[in-house]
Amino acid sequence: MSTTLTITDRSAMSAEEIFEELKARIGDYTPEPELRMQAELAVEVNQLKAQRNAVILGHNYMEPALFHSVPDFVGDSLDLSRKAAATDKDVIVFCGVRFMAETAKILNPSRTVLLPSLEAGCSLAASITAADVRALKARFPGVPVVTYVNTYADVKAESDICCTSSNAAAVVDSLGVDTVIFLPDEYLAKNVARDTGKHIIVPTRLPTGNLHFADDVDFQMVGWNGRCEVHEQFTVGDIDLVRSQFPDVVILAHPECSPEVVDAADFSGSTNAMIRYVEQTKAPRYLLLTECAMGENVAAANPDKEMLRLCMVRCPYMNQITLQMTRDSLRHMQYEIDVPEEIRVRARRSVERMIAIG
Ligand code: 13P
Ligand code: SF4
């Protein structure tokens, strides 16, 4: 089920109207002068958006003032790639990170795709190169490569099919083969291995930089040692402490968390799946083990439930994107994301195979 949200069209709203909306959603903890400044920036963004005939896609991790004021659509990476593929606007502004903007360009190459900050990377995407994938394919010939969408285009181009956190197990199952290479998130791979009943091996990096695979003949998944620098920091100890303080809390963990953390949580799913869970749960109190900004956005949409904040780890890449950067992006048409055609065509095949699965 898709939960990408189409936001009310705010293009014609005044700063006062946006201010009132922000106040209703995040006014409990944001002082009014800050809200007024954000509302004025949002009006500028919306005017530029109309002038440029642009669409703004906002990932669930966007900071609350941006999330609640300028995107035409908000959602997880899978849903936003669908929106990017379908848009007929001239310009796509991706309020997210670089691999998401690249995916938009891969799927809709005739549009201008803008990423408001060049610093909006991702530790998972940076953990693997196209040469690494080629080396794995040489070592495990004929084994299909499933690549998490949190990778750059040249890595997707070397892959057979992509997946996101919302469809990873379905993608692996869809291949109907005994063995897959699943890249680059070690934890997501281990969580998928458990969900699909497969046994996984993950290489260790030797001091020389070379990879070493343990001699294990009984594996069905080959992983990689990439990690999300945000989700890898949550521990079972954190969960135990929170539960001892708030025994009725329901804990939700993104599948980029370690399998131990996922096991200790009550639910694990993509950012959209977590949002749906909170909407439907009867539990009075919940905690999200993911980027903290999403917790604020979910809390604003569910005022009847109490959200515990665990904001000690933040995604430094998602946090690059602000209303000001988005305004400057549209004002100066920066930073344009391009993918060489030869890579784009091969990467598109992998992304489209994934989208067809759902
Ligand atoms: P989702 O696909 O669940 O939105 O996750 C993207 C991401 O980067 C999580 O860290
Ligand atoms: Fe990448 Fe982790 Fe940030 Fe998501 S939260 S963009 S996986 S570093």
Side-chain angles (χ1 to χ4, degrees), residues 59 61 96-97 99-100 120-125 148 150 185 227-232 254 256 290-291 314-319:
H59 188 262
Y61 287 167
V97 290
F99 73 80
M100 297 179 178
C122 169
S123 66
L124 274 173
Y148 193 28
N150 295 34
D185 184 355
R227 301 262 182 95
C228 162
E229 68 184 63
V230 177
H231 293 93
E232 73 170 342
H254 193 277
E256 289 166 13
T290 195
E291 159 59 33
R314 306 296 309 264
C315 176
Y317 312 108
M318 290 283 184
N319 278 283

mmCIF file of all heavy atoms in Angstrom, residues 59 61 96-97 99-100 120-125 148 150 185 227-232 254 256 290-291 314-319, ligand 2:
data_model
loop_
_atom_site.group_PDB
_atom_site.id
_atom_site.type_symbol
_atom_site.label_atom_id
_atom_site.label_comp_id
_atom_site.label_asym_id
_atom_site.label_seq_id
_atom_site.Cartn_x
_atom_site.Cartn_y
_atom_site.Cartn_z
ATOM 1 N N HIS A 59 11.547 13.874 1.450
ATOM 2 C CA HIS A 59 11.660 12.601 2.187
ATOM 3 C C HIS A 59 11.112 12.782 3.605
ATOM 4 O O HIS A 59 11.128 13.888 4.157
ATOM 5 C CB HIS A 59 13.128 12.114 2.223
ATOM 6 C CG HIS A 59 13.243 10.741 2.800
ATOM 7 N ND1 HIS A 59 13.587 10.523 4.116
ATOM 8 C CD2 HIS A 59 12.999 9.517 2.269
ATOM 9 C CE1 HIS A 59 13.576 9.213 4.356
ATOM 10 N NE2 HIS A 59 13.221 8.581 3.248
ATOM 11 N N TYR A 61 12.369 12.294 6.278
ATOM 12 C CA TYR A 61 13.354 12.783 7.245
ATOM 13 C C TYR A 61 13.546 14.298 7.187
ATOM 14 O O TYR A 61 14.409 14.832 7.897
ATOM 15 C CB TYR A 61 14.724 12.158 6.975
ATOM 16 C CG TYR A 61 14.879 10.703 7.343
ATOM 17 C CD1 TYR A 61 15.987 9.991 6.900
ATOM 18 C CD2 TYR A 61 13.964 10.046 8.139
ATOM 19 C CE1 TYR A 61 16.174 8.659 7.227
ATOM 20 C CE2 TYR A 61 14.128 8.718 8.465
ATOM 21 C CZ TYR A 61 15.234 8.020 8.004
ATOM 22 O OH TYR A 61 15.413 6.711 8.337
ATOM 23 N N GLY A 96 16.013 15.610 -0.127
ATOM 24 C CA GLY A 96 16.427 14.303 0.369
ATOM 25 C C GLY A 96 17.930 14.238 0.149
ATOM 26 O O GLY A 96 18.604 15.274 0.253
ATOM 27 N N VAL A 97 18.451 13.071 -0.179
ATOM 28 C CA VAL A 97 19.896 12.969 -0.384
ATOM 29 C C VAL A 97 20.220 12.573 -1.826
ATOM 30 O O VAL A 97 19.327 12.236 -2.597
ATOM 31 C CB VAL A 97 20.546 12.000 0.634
ATOM 32 C CG1 VAL A 97 20.528 12.597 2.032
ATOM 33 C CG2 VAL A 97 19.877 10.648 0.614
ATOM 34 N N PHE A 99 21.517 10.101 -3.563
ATOM 35 C CA PHE A 99 21.131 8.901 -4.299
ATOM 36 C C PHE A 99 19.657 8.973 -4.700
ATOM 37 O O PHE A 99 19.253 8.406 -5.720
ATOM 38 C CB PHE A 99 21.449 7.626 -3.505
ATOM 39 C CG PHE A 99 20.548 7.351 -2.315
ATOM 40 C CD1 PHE A 99 19.298 6.778 -2.472
ATOM 41 C CD2 PHE A 99 20.971 7.652 -1.027
ATOM 42 C CE1 PHE A 99 18.480 6.522 -1.376
ATOM 43 C CE2 PHE A 99 20.154 7.404 0.065
ATOM 44 C CZ PHE A 99 18.905 6.845 -0.111
ATOM 45 N N MET A 100 18.844 9.683 -3.926
ATOM 46 C CA MET A 100 17.419 9.819 -4.263
ATOM 47 C C MET A 100 17.253 10.713 -5.496
ATOM 48 O O MET A 100 16.458 10.414 -6.394
ATOM 49 C CB MET A 100 16.648 10.409 -3.080
ATOM 50 C CG MET A 100 16.675 9.520 -1.858
ATOM 51 S SD MET A 100 15.787 10.253 -0.470
ATOM 52 C CE MET A 100 15.971 8.945 0.736
ATOM 53 N N ALA A 120 24.672 16.586 0.755
ATOM 54 C CA ALA A 120 23.637 15.608 1.137
ATOM 55 C C ALA A 120 23.974 14.232 0.562
ATOM 56 O O ALA A 120 23.388 13.785 -0.419
ATOM 57 C CB ALA A 120 22.260 16.086 0.670
ATOM 58 N N GLY A 121 24.952 13.569 1.196
ATOM 59 C CA GLY A 121 25.372 12.238 0.740
ATOM 60 C C GLY A 121 24.677 11.146 1.529
ATOM 61 O O GLY A 121 23.512 11.288 1.920
ATOM 62 N N CYS A 122 25.396 10.038 1.784
ATOM 63 C CA CYS A 122 24.830 8.924 2.569
ATOM 64 C C CYS A 122 25.968 7.942 2.827
ATOM 65 O O CYS A 122 26.691 7.583 1.895
ATOM 66 C CB CYS A 122 23.720 8.240 1.772
ATOM 67 S SG CYS A 122 23.162 6.671 2.478
ATOM 68 N N SER A 123 26.132 7.523 4.082
ATOM 69 C CA SER A 123 27.263 6.638 4.397
ATOM 70 C C SER A 123 27.113 5.273 3.726
ATOM 71 O O SER A 123 28.103 4.636 3.389
ATOM 72 C CB SER A 123 27.411 6.471 5.912
ATOM 73 O OG SER A 123 26.297 5.793 6.460
ATOM 74 N N LEU A 124 25.884 4.839 3.512
ATOM 75 C CA LEU A 124 25.693 3.553 2.829
ATOM 76 C C LEU A 124 26.113 3.673 1.368
ATOM 77 O O LEU A 124 26.838 2.829 0.842
ATOM 78 C CB LEU A 124 24.220 3.135 2.891
ATOM 79 C CG LEU A 124 23.792 2.386 4.133
ATOM 80 C CD1 LEU A 124 22.290 2.183 4.132
ATOM 81 C CD2 LEU A 124 24.510 1.044 4.198
ATOM 82 N N ALA A 125 25.632 4.731 0.718
ATOM 83 C CA ALA A 125 25.956 4.911 -0.698
ATOM 84 C C ALA A 125 27.470 5.036 -0.889
ATOM 85 O O ALA A 125 28.019 4.561 -1.893
ATOM 86 C CB ALA A 125 25.236 6.133 -1.245
ATOM 87 N N TYR A 148 20.546 -2.205 -2.735
ATOM 88 C CA TYR A 148 19.709 -1.241 -2.009
ATOM 89 C C TYR A 148 19.728 0.075 -2.789
ATOM 90 O O TYR A 148 20.763 0.476 -3.337
ATOM 91 C CB TYR A 148 20.309 -1.070 -0.615
ATOM 92 C CG TYR A 148 19.454 -0.370 0.414
ATOM 93 C CD1 TYR A 148 18.068 -0.395 0.366
ATOM 94 C CD2 TYR A 148 20.063 0.297 1.478
ATOM 95 C CE1 TYR A 148 17.309 0.230 1.346
ATOM 96 C CE2 TYR A 148 19.314 0.922 2.456
ATOM 97 C CZ TYR A 148 17.933 0.889 2.378
ATOM 98 O OH TYR A 148 17.187 1.511 3.348
ATOM 99 N N ASN A 150 19.884 2.893 -1.746
ATOM 100 C CA ASN A 150 20.844 3.832 -1.144
ATOM 101 C C ASN A 150 22.247 3.584 -1.703
ATOM 102 O O ASN A 150 23.185 3.254 -0.977
ATOM 103 C CB ASN A 150 20.891 3.654 0.385
ATOM 104 C CG ASN A 150 19.592 4.013 1.078
ATOM 105 O OD1 ASN A 150 18.530 3.804 0.525
ATOM 106 N ND2 ASN A 150 19.673 4.531 2.290
ATOM 107 N N ASP A 185 24.180 -2.780 2.488
ATOM 108 C CA ASP A 185 23.922 -2.607 3.922
ATOM 109 C C ASP A 185 23.957 -3.957 4.637
ATOM 110 O O ASP A 185 23.057 -4.782 4.462
ATOM 111 C CB ASP A 185 22.550 -1.935 4.105
ATOM 112 C CG ASP A 185 22.250 -1.621 5.573
ATOM 113 O OD1 ASP A 185 23.055 -2.004 6.439
ATOM 114 O OD2 ASP A 185 21.216 -0.995 5.845
ATOM 115 N N ARG A 227 27.305 0.319 6.268
ATOM 116 C CA ARG A 227 26.398 0.595 7.404
ATOM 117 C C ARG A 227 25.823 1.998 7.260
ATOM 118 O O ARG A 227 26.503 2.898 6.764
ATOM 119 C CB ARG A 227 27.164 0.573 8.733
ATOM 120 C CG ARG A 227 27.867 -0.720 9.054
ATOM 121 C CD ARG A 227 27.025 -1.564 10.004
ATOM 122 N NE ARG A 227 27.725 -2.788 10.352
ATOM 123 C CZ ARG A 227 28.481 -2.938 11.444
ATOM 124 N NH1 ARG A 227 28.639 -1.918 12.273
ATOM 125 N NH2 ARG A 227 29.070 -4.083 11.701
ATOM 126 N N CYS A 228 24.624 2.175 7.762
ATOM 127 C CA CYS A 228 24.070 3.526 7.914
ATOM 128 C C CYS A 228 24.644 4.091 9.202
ATOM 129 O O CYS A 228 24.450 3.501 10.272
ATOM 130 C CB CYS A 228 22.550 3.494 7.975
ATOM 131 S SG CYS A 228 21.902 5.031 8.666
ATOM 132 N N GLU A 229 25.302 5.233 9.102
ATOM 133 C CA GLU A 229 25.980 5.767 10.293
ATOM 134 C C GLU A 229 24.993 6.249 11.355
ATOM 135 O O GLU A 229 25.393 6.487 12.491
ATOM 136 C CB GLU A 229 26.947 6.892 9.891
ATOM 137 C CG GLU A 229 26.281 8.141 9.371
ATOM 138 C CD GLU A 229 27.313 9.164 8.897
ATOM 139 O OE1 GLU A 229 28.049 8.861 7.952
ATOM 140 O OE2 GLU A 229 27.357 10.257 9.486
ATOM 141 N N VAL A 230 23.732 6.383 11.003
ATOM 142 C CA VAL A 230 22.713 6.759 11.994
ATOM 143 C C VAL A 230 22.187 5.502 12.676
ATOM 144 O O VAL A 230 22.295 5.325 13.901
ATOM 145 C CB VAL A 230 21.539 7.502 11.311
ATOM 146 C CG1 VAL A 230 20.446 7.828 12.318
ATOM 147 C CG2 VAL A 230 22.034 8.751 10.619
ATOM 148 N N HIS A 231 21.631 4.582 11.884
ATOM 149 C CA HIS A 231 20.935 3.427 12.468
ATOM 150 C C HIS A 231 21.873 2.445 13.161
ATOM 151 O O HIS A 231 21.449 1.710 14.052
ATOM 152 C CB HIS A 231 20.109 2.729 11.382
ATOM 153 C CG HIS A 231 18.971 3.593 10.896
ATOM 154 N ND1 HIS A 231 19.077 4.418 9.800
ATOM 155 C CD2 HIS A 231 17.732 3.781 11.399
ATOM 156 C CE1 HIS A 231 17.939 5.077 9.633
ATOM 157 N NE2 HIS A 231 17.107 4.706 10.580
ATOM 158 N N GLU A 232 23.148 2.417 12.759
ATOM 159 C CA GLU A 232 24.062 1.470 13.415
ATOM 160 C C GLU A 232 24.328 1.866 14.870
ATOM 161 O O GLU A 232 24.825 1.073 15.651
ATOM 162 C CB GLU A 232 25.385 1.352 12.645
ATOM 163 C CG GLU A 232 26.287 2.538 12.782
ATOM 164 C CD GLU A 232 27.692 2.302 12.223
ATOM 165 O OE1 GLU A 232 28.093 1.138 12.038
ATOM 166 O OE2 GLU A 232 28.385 3.300 11.955
ATOM 167 N N HIS A 254 13.931 1.048 12.133
ATOM 168 C CA HIS A 254 14.147 0.940 10.678
ATOM 169 C C HIS A 254 15.024 -0.288 10.422
ATOM 170 O O HIS A 254 15.913 -0.597 11.236
ATOM 171 C CB HIS A 254 14.830 2.220 10.178
ATOM 172 C CG HIS A 254 14.809 2.352 8.695
ATOM 173 N ND1 HIS A 254 15.727 1.731 7.884
ATOM 174 C CD2 HIS A 254 13.959 3.009 7.860
ATOM 175 C CE1 HIS A 254 15.441 2.029 6.613
ATOM 176 N NE2 HIS A 254 14.375 2.795 6.575
ATOM 177 N N GLU A 256 17.541 -0.708 8.770
ATOM 178 C CA GLU A 256 18.984 -0.441 8.706
ATOM 179 C C GLU A 256 19.613 -0.578 10.102
ATOM 180 O O GLU A 256 20.827 -0.450 10.248
ATOM 181 C CB GLU A 256 19.247 0.966 8.163
ATOM 182 C CG GLU A 256 18.943 1.099 6.684
ATOM 183 C CD GLU A 256 18.885 2.550 6.209
ATOM 184 O OE1 GLU A 256 19.316 3.452 6.949
ATOM 185 O OE2 GLU A 256 18.404 2.776 5.088
ATOM 186 N N THR A 290 15.093 5.893 14.378
ATOM 187 C CA THR A 290 15.421 6.380 13.039
ATOM 188 C C THR A 290 15.766 7.851 13.178
ATOM 189 O O THR A 290 15.861 8.367 14.291
ATOM 190 C CB THR A 290 14.247 6.108 12.063
ATOM 191 O OG1 THR A 290 14.709 6.256 10.726
ATOM 192 C CG2 THR A 290 13.052 7.028 12.274
ATOM 193 N N GLU A 291 15.969 8.539 12.044
ATOM 194 C CA GLU A 291 16.310 9.966 12.103
ATOM 195 C C GLU A 291 15.238 10.739 12.892
ATOM 196 O O GLU A 291 14.037 10.589 12.646
ATOM 197 C CB GLU A 291 16.459 10.489 10.662
ATOM 198 C CG GLU A 291 16.320 11.976 10.447
ATOM 199 C CD GLU A 291 17.297 12.839 11.217
ATOM 200 O OE1 GLU A 291 18.447 12.426 11.445
ATOM 201 O OE2 GLU A 291 16.887 13.949 11.623
ATOM 202 N N ARG A 314 21.760 11.917 14.541
ATOM 203 C CA ARG A 314 21.055 12.586 13.446
ATOM 204 C C ARG A 314 21.729 12.229 12.143
ATOM 205 O O ARG A 314 22.919 11.908 12.117
ATOM 206 C CB ARG A 314 21.108 14.120 13.627
ATOM 207 C CG ARG A 314 20.608 14.651 14.954
ATOM 208 C CD ARG A 314 19.143 14.381 15.195
ATOM 209 N NE ARG A 314 18.287 14.779 14.104
ATOM 210 C CZ ARG A 314 17.633 15.946 14.029
ATOM 211 N NH1 ARG A 314 17.770 16.831 15.005
ATOM 212 N NH2 ARG A 314 16.849 16.231 13.018
ATOM 213 N N CYS A 315 20.980 12.286 11.037
ATOM 214 C CA CYS A 315 21.603 12.074 9.724
ATOM 215 C C CYS A 315 22.170 13.414 9.254
ATOM 216 O O CYS A 315 21.413 14.334 8.944
ATOM 217 C CB CYS A 315 20.587 11.555 8.708
ATOM 218 S SG CYS A 315 21.337 11.420 7.070
ATOM 219 N N PRO A 316 23.505 13.528 9.215
ATOM 220 C CA PRO A 316 24.079 14.822 8.855
ATOM 221 C C PRO A 316 23.786 15.199 7.403
ATOM 222 O O PRO A 316 23.875 16.366 7.034
ATOM 223 C CB PRO A 316 25.589 14.613 9.055
ATOM 224 C CG PRO A 316 25.791 13.142 8.962
ATOM 225 C CD PRO A 316 24.526 12.493 9.429
ATOM 226 N N TYR A 317 23.433 14.203 6.605
ATOM 227 C CA TYR A 317 23.203 14.450 5.162
ATOM 228 C C TYR A 317 21.785 14.981 4.932
ATOM 229 O O TYR A 317 21.591 15.986 4.243
ATOM 230 C CB TYR A 317 23.448 13.161 4.373
ATOM 231 C CG TYR A 317 24.739 12.503 4.774
ATOM 232 C CD1 TYR A 317 24.755 11.329 5.521
ATOM 233 C CD2 TYR A 317 25.957 13.094 4.453
ATOM 234 C CE1 TYR A 317 25.941 10.742 5.926
ATOM 235 C CE2 TYR A 317 27.149 12.522 4.863
ATOM 236 C CZ TYR A 317 27.136 11.349 5.599
ATOM 237 O OH TYR A 317 28.315 10.783 6.003
ATOM 238 N N MET A 318 20.810 14.299 5.516
ATOM 239 C CA MET A 318 19.428 14.766 5.376
ATOM 240 C C MET A 318 19.282 16.159 5.993
ATOM 241 O O MET A 318 18.521 16.996 5.505
ATOM 242 C CB MET A 318 18.473 13.802 6.084
ATOM 243 C CG MET A 318 18.334 12.466 5.405
ATOM 244 S SD MET A 318 17.262 12.611 3.965
ATOM 245 C CE MET A 318 17.194 10.888 3.448
ATOM 246 N N ASN A 319 20.034 16.371 7.074
ATOM 247 C CA ASN A 319 19.918 17.648 7.774
ATOM 248 C C ASN A 319 20.543 18.820 7.032
ATOM 249 O O ASN A 319 20.428 19.965 7.462
ATOM 250 C CB ASN A 319 20.501 17.518 9.180
ATOM 251 C CG ASN A 319 19.485 16.896 10.123
ATOM 252 O OD1 ASN A 319 18.567 17.555 10.562
ATOM 253 N ND2 ASN A 319 19.623 15.606 10.379
HETATM 254 FE FE1 SF4 B 2 22.052 7.342 4.498
HETATM 255 FE FE2 SF4 B 2 21.574 6.607 7.008
HETATM 256 FE FE3 SF4 B 2 21.267 9.143 6.327
HETATM 257 FE FE4 SF4 B 2 19.522 7.285 5.446
HETATM 258 S S1 SF4 B 2 19.876 7.936 7.552
HETATM 259 S S2 SF4 B 2 20.478 8.921 4.216
HETATM 260 S S3 SF4 B 2 20.913 5.537 5.144
HETATM 261 S S4 SF4 B 2 23.221 7.984 6.314
#
